[in-house]
Amino acid sequence: MDTPQPTAEEMQARVLHRDGLMLVIDKPAGIAVHRGPKGGPNLEASFDALRYGLPRPPVLAHRLDRDTSGCLVLGRHRKATASLGLLFKHGKIGKTYWAVVEGGPAEDEGEIDIPLGRLNAERGWWQKPDPNGLPSKSRWSVLGRNNGLSWLALEPLTGRTHQLRVHCAAMGFPIVGDNIYGNGPRFGEPSLHLHAREIVVPLSRNKPPVRVIAPVPAHLQERLRTCGWNGEDVVMPEMASSEP
């Protein structure tokens, strides 16, 4: 899946939440968040369309893999980005991913505790289970099963690179379409079936956390329906209108 550089209108249509401190956008699959060494489309290059009256574009508060879709948090100014960075660093932000995996766990819920380390210097960000690596924990629950597939809700309790992908593969149920750790093809379908479904951000001590849900992208829908997803519509949250 290769996604072209988003236009200003396409970026604005992907805003799920906006307030004075942050934006949450629905990242499309198939596009990197950063500009890579070889160039090519990347989300950051389109952030200027998301200033909404502020002097500078928003900044990434975290990252998602190129082929992962869903909730991506941006800080709207320097102080906000620093605050969000601390919340992510200390595990204060709730993240729930939806994945379709091959096979699936025998139980209906559980936790994966497998330390991760870098695969090797040549492979950059690629990871592997490593008893001497960094502590890495993920929680999972089964939302549906059918036809040799399982629909999981995954919650990364730590924030390692590729954590959910490596953990699922190490447990024997790789994510559908994962062409690094699973059985996905190098090119073509199926693409990675991993979606950042929900994010919960406790921005203010005096207000409830901001909870944002990203709609299911088209490339996940067929296999999710196979596993029992009913195709419910997601009601988009209201945009805050009191801030620029």
Side-chain angles (χ1 to χ4, degrees):
M1 182 184 295
D2 287 307
T3 301
Q5 187 67 46
T7 65
E9 293 76 17
E10 288 168 341
M11 287 298 293
Q12 291 162 5
R14 287 188 167 271
V15 174
L16 301 172
H17 171 86
R18 171 177 139 211
D19 59 35
L21 298 176
M22 72 172 184
L23 302 171
V24 182
I25 64 172
D26 181 14
K27 177 193 174 296
I31 186 169
V33 292
H34 298 292
R35 185 180 187 275
K38 298 179 181 177
N42 66 92
L43 280 187
E44 278 188 318
S46 295
F47 283 176
D48 196 58
L50 302 177
R51 289 189 295 127
Y52 294 108
L54 294 187
R56 294 184 180 88
V59 175
L60 291 159
H62 65 132
R63 64 185 295 275
L64 292 175
D65 292 347
R66 178 184 182 273
D67 292 323
T68 302
S69 56
C71 293
L72 183 68
V73 179
L74 314 179
R76 296 197 64 199
H77 51 75
R78 192 170 298 168
K79 186 175 179 181
T81 304
S83 297
L84 288 164
L86 287 173
L87 290 173
F88 275 105
K89 180 179 179 180
H90 295 293
K92 302 296 186 184
I93 291 178
K95 295 175 281 185
T96 301
Y97 290 72
W98 279 6
V100 179
V101 301
E102 299 174 23
E107 302 81 10
D108 288 334
E109 60 182 27
E111 192 171 294
I112 304 168
D113 184 355
I114 299 176
L116 300 179
R118 186 168 290 193
L119 181 62
N120 56 48
E122 290 74 37
R123 290 299 185 180
W125 292 106
W126 292 16
Q127 304 288 303
K128 65 178 179 181
D130 182 350
N132 299 314
L134 295 172
S136 305
K137 293 184 179 182
S138 305
R139 188 177 293 135
W140 55 265
S141 60
V142 178
L143 301 180
R145 307 176 193 262
N146 191 31
N147 200 30
L149 301 172
S150 296
W151 162 26
L152 303 184
L154 297 165
E155 181 184 354
L157 304 179
T158 51
R160 311 302 176 208
T161 300
H162 291 176
Q163 176 175 315
L164 298 177
R165 297 169 67 174
V166 182
H167 273 177
C168 286
M171 293 296 288
F173 42 88
I175 297 174
V176 170
D178 191 339
N179 61 11
I180 297 177
Y181 307 104
N183 303 309
R186 186 83 175 92
F187 302 102
E189 295 296 324
S191 54
L192 185 69
H193 277 49
L194 182 63
H195 176 62
R197 170 67 167 177
E198 178 181 305
I199 200 150
V200 181
V201 185
L203 262 182
S204 170
R205 294 179 182 177
N206 307 317
K207 297 178 183 177
V210 175
R211 176 176 177 265
V212 184
I213 293 176
V216 173
H219 70 283
L220 263 72
Q221 292 184 11
E222 179 184 349
R223 287 176 177 83
L224 280 176
R225 288 181 192 277
T226 296
C227 292
W229 176 63
N230 63 12
E232 87 284 2
D233 290 330
V234 175
V235 178
M236 293 294 184
E238 292 290 328
M239 278 195 194
S241 57
S242 59
E243 299 287 351

